[in-house]
Amino acid sequence: MNRVTRFAFAGRCSTEDLQDPETSRNWQLTRARALIEPKGGEIVAEYFDSGHSRALPWKRRPRAADLLRDLRDPERPFDAVVIGEPQRTFYGNQFGNTFPLFVHFGIPLWVPEVGGAIDPENEAHDLVMSVFGGMSKGERNRIKVRVHTAMTAQAQIEGRYLGGRPPYGYLLGDAGPHPNPAKAADGKRLHKLDPDPVAAPVVRRIFREYLRGNGMYAIAESLTRDGIPCPSAHDRARNPHRDGHAWSKGAVRTILMNPRYTGHQVWNKQHKKEVLLDIDDVTLGHRTQLTWNPHDKWIWSAEQVHEPIITLADFQSAQARQERRRNTAGVERKVGPTKRSYALRGLLRCGLCDRKMQGNYNRGLPHYLCRYPAEYAHSASLPHPLAVYVRESALLPALDAWLARVFAPGRLKQTLEALHRAQTAATPAPDPALEAARRTVAECERRIDRYRTAIDAGTDPALVTEWINQAAADRDATQRQIAAAQAAVPAKTARPLTEQQIAQITKDLGNLTDRLQQAAPERKAPLYAALGLTLTYDHSKKAVTVESRPESVCTSCAYGECPRGDSNPHAR
């Protein structure tokens, strides 16, 4: 091997839930080393993605994107790149879209399948890599079909509970050992739905009142008035993101639409749909959307598999009534997307209920409106006006003036450093109780491993299975305690900015605030988002509190011109 001795290793494993990332990394790394070390190569850098689908193109995988960026760096610490398993790394036509960059920057790409570096002039090498990309895509598609078919059979024929949160009105019950012997030996068991003695009567009441002719809002009002906790208040650990003050129309509607209250297992109500991120650049890949299936695509169990809360006839009558309402002009009409622009879309919250305020045009001008009482029943614990209303033109001048002062070029670095110090000081200290609980979970896992070894050593399997079940029960109980404790902590904690991030943000922002002063209102929304703004409107004081947490800024994206689009639209 000529001058090339320093290698960067690239790899990927799918998800931490389905694979052990460390084991996957180790065997791919071992395979890469077996290829290059006999020829004098040494791995000096690693770019390994964990928990990212192979269907994502390289530029959307964090570590793979770092590798593509470092290819452009003349001071990069490596001279070549080695991949231990191309089927894990390339998918579909990704090789054809990525390899030209390696050729352009003069970086050899080594794979075991060709015994060394890929020759860009060798048609056989190109064919081999294309075949592996196609095999990778085919493997993923076969897994999807096989899993979907198996789950359809389990739901329809066996009536098996396939996971997920039990619906309001039910609790998870034990349905016996897992039919897979290996999983049963690990202590895994099947589950079923058992009626919740507290919530099941509420479900029956909702259907009874709805079939008597009461509307969803009237039902929500009566439940709240009678002091019955709404689903989020009934199970706070599972719903920490909801306020739990009152019943909403949405909660009543969800219960009325759920067929599992009939005692049947129902699956495939939704499916994942892959949508192109950018129709003008298909190399950016897809984003996944969760879409409702039509009712005739739902998979029903052939028989009742858990105790019903309502009769099938009552459920069908409720669906028929909703269908009549949907077909009535002006009733339960879905509002289409608006073409009007709002500079603070998604950034302004109501200080009373902490819900995002909705854009609303009035007399040709943009306003923001919170209509909490239109969706939620009246609650004495949250006295909320019928409408909290604020005009956009009353907010933007003062907001722009504040941004111009705080993020002025002369003060920008000082502001970000102060933000860094504030975030670091606000970082919560580790909870000793949580740390102890995590150690307990780890100890339970070690106990289970030891018990498995005891089976191999000849110990009575029935006795060992009892030990494993006890250890698994201890582990699961502790994990539930951890989940409940974490649910009580605010879901989003700001990550402190590093010095490198401060320098990068300073460079990216530049004169962003100067451009903000000159921009038209309809062009300001991405700029405000780039500055990480969160606004809270205090209705009683007629004042707005502004918070800024800029983590990273792309100036092109700030003006809505970034070709990558939004790969996580649900995460805002």
Side-chain angles (χ1 to χ4, degrees), residues 146-160:
R146 188 164 60 244
V147 169
H148 188 276
T149 304
M151 295 181 73
T152 297
Q154 289 172 344
Q156 190 171 42
I157 299 173
E158 303 175 35
R160 187 185 298 185

Side-chain angles (χ1 to χ4, degrees), residues 168-171 196 198-200 229-239 244:
Y168 175 80
Y170 280 111
L171 299 173
D196 183 339
V198 175
C230 63
S232 57
H234 177 69
D235 188 355
R236 291 303 297 153
R238 198 177 76 167
N239 298 281

Side-chain angles (χ1 to χ4, degrees), residues 60 277-278 284 287 557 561-569 572:
R60 290 174 58 199
L277 203 62
D278 187 343
L284 290 173
R287 57 186 173 91
C557 292
E561 299 166 356
C562 181
R564 291 176 176 81
D566 182 5
S567 60
N568 289 287
R572 292 290 180 259

Side-chain angles (χ1 to χ4, degrees), residues 167-170 203 207 254-255 258-263 306 308-310:
Y168 175 80
Y170 280 111
V203 174
F207 275 89
T254 299
I255 290 172
N258 195 331
R260 290 200 284 180
Y261 294 122
T262 64
H306 53 261
I309 295 179
I310 61 167

Side-chain angles (χ1 to χ4, degrees), residues 136-331:
S136 177
K137 184 175 182 178
E139 178 187 6
R140 180 173 180 262
N141 290 336
R142 283 195 304 275
I143 291 173
K144 287 168 61 177
V145 171
R146 188 164 60 244
V147 169
H148 188 276
T149 304
M151 295 181 73
T152 297
Q154 289 172 344
Q156 190 171 42
I157 299 173
E158 303 175 35
R160 187 185 298 185
Y161 177 76
L162 298 177
R165 302 192 308 178
Y168 175 80
Y170 280 111
L171 299 173
L172 282 185
D174 184 78
H178 200 285
N180 185 313
K183 293 184 177 180
D186 287 342
K188 291 183 172 63
R189 303 181 68 81
L190 295 180
H191 294 93
K192 64 176 182 177
L193 296 176
D194 290 333
D196 183 339
V198 175
V202 180
V203 174
R204 295 190 189 97
R205 171 177 169 173
I206 289 173
F207 275 89
R208 186 168 58 250
E209 292 191 10
Y210 188 70
L211 293 178
R212 286 175 179 171
N214 293 337
M216 296 179 188
Y217 189 82
I219 296 173
E221 282 277 12
S222 68
L223 293 172
T224 304
R225 184 172 57 250
D226 292 345
I228 298 175
C230 63
S232 57
H234 177 69
D235 188 355
R236 291 303 297 153
R238 198 177 76 167
N239 298 281
H241 57 295
R242 302 289 186 185
D243 56 47
H245 289 293
W247 280 82
S248 70
K249 291 190 300 184
V252 175
R253 182 186 297 109
T254 299
I255 290 172
L256 291 170
M257 292 291 291
N258 195 331
R260 290 200 284 180
Y261 294 122
T262 64
H264 290 266
Q265 181 59 266
V266 182
W267 180 73
N268 198 43
K269 293 191 292 184
Q270 293 178 297
H271 74 280
K272 291 182 178 179
K273 179 181 179 182
E274 293 187 341
V275 181
L276 281 174
L277 203 62
D278 187 343
I279 60 174
D280 296 319
D281 186 0
V282 297
T283 63
L284 290 173
H286 301 77
R287 57 186 173 91
T288 301
Q289 287 183 342
L290 205 57
T291 305
W292 285 98
N293 287 326
H295 289 189
D296 59 355
K297 297 292 184 181
W298 292 7
I299 306 298
W300 286 64
S301 62
E303 305 290 340
Q304 288 184 336
V305 293
H306 53 261
E307 183 178 339
I309 295 179
I310 61 167
T311 66
L312 181 60
D314 283 348
F315 177 77
Q316 291 173 341
S317 298
Q319 306 317 298
R321 184 186 174 198
Q322 289 202 57
E323 188 63 28
R324 289 194 299 270
R325 290 176 60 84
R326 278 193 291 268
N327 293 335
T328 303
V331 177

Side-chain angles (χ1 to χ4, degrees), residues 28 31-32 34-35 82-86 110-116 129 132:
Q28 293 182 52
R31 200 160 183 250
L35 173 65
V82 60
I83 292 174
E85 175 53 73
W110 288 53
V111 294
E113 282 65 24
V114 301
M129 296 305 298
F132 275 107

Side-chain angles (χ1 to χ4, degrees), residues 343-401:
L344 300 175
R345 182 191 298 272
L347 305 179
L348 182 62
R349 289 184 174 273
C350 171
L352 292 171
C353 62
D354 198 38
R355 285 160 51 96
K356 290 183 179 178
M357 300 183 71
Q358 302 169 354
N360 180 269
Y361 259 69
N362 186 16
R363 298 182 180 180
L365 297 175
H367 293 66
Y368 296 90
L369 176 67
C370 178
R371 298 185 61 192
Y372 180 92
E375 180 67 25
Y376 286 82
H378 174 74
S379 171
S381 62
L382 183 62
H384 197 294
L386 288 177
V388 174
Y389 215 66
V390 61
R391 190 172 68 253
E392 184 178 89
S393 59
L395 301 178
L396 296 192
L399 176 62
D400 291 346

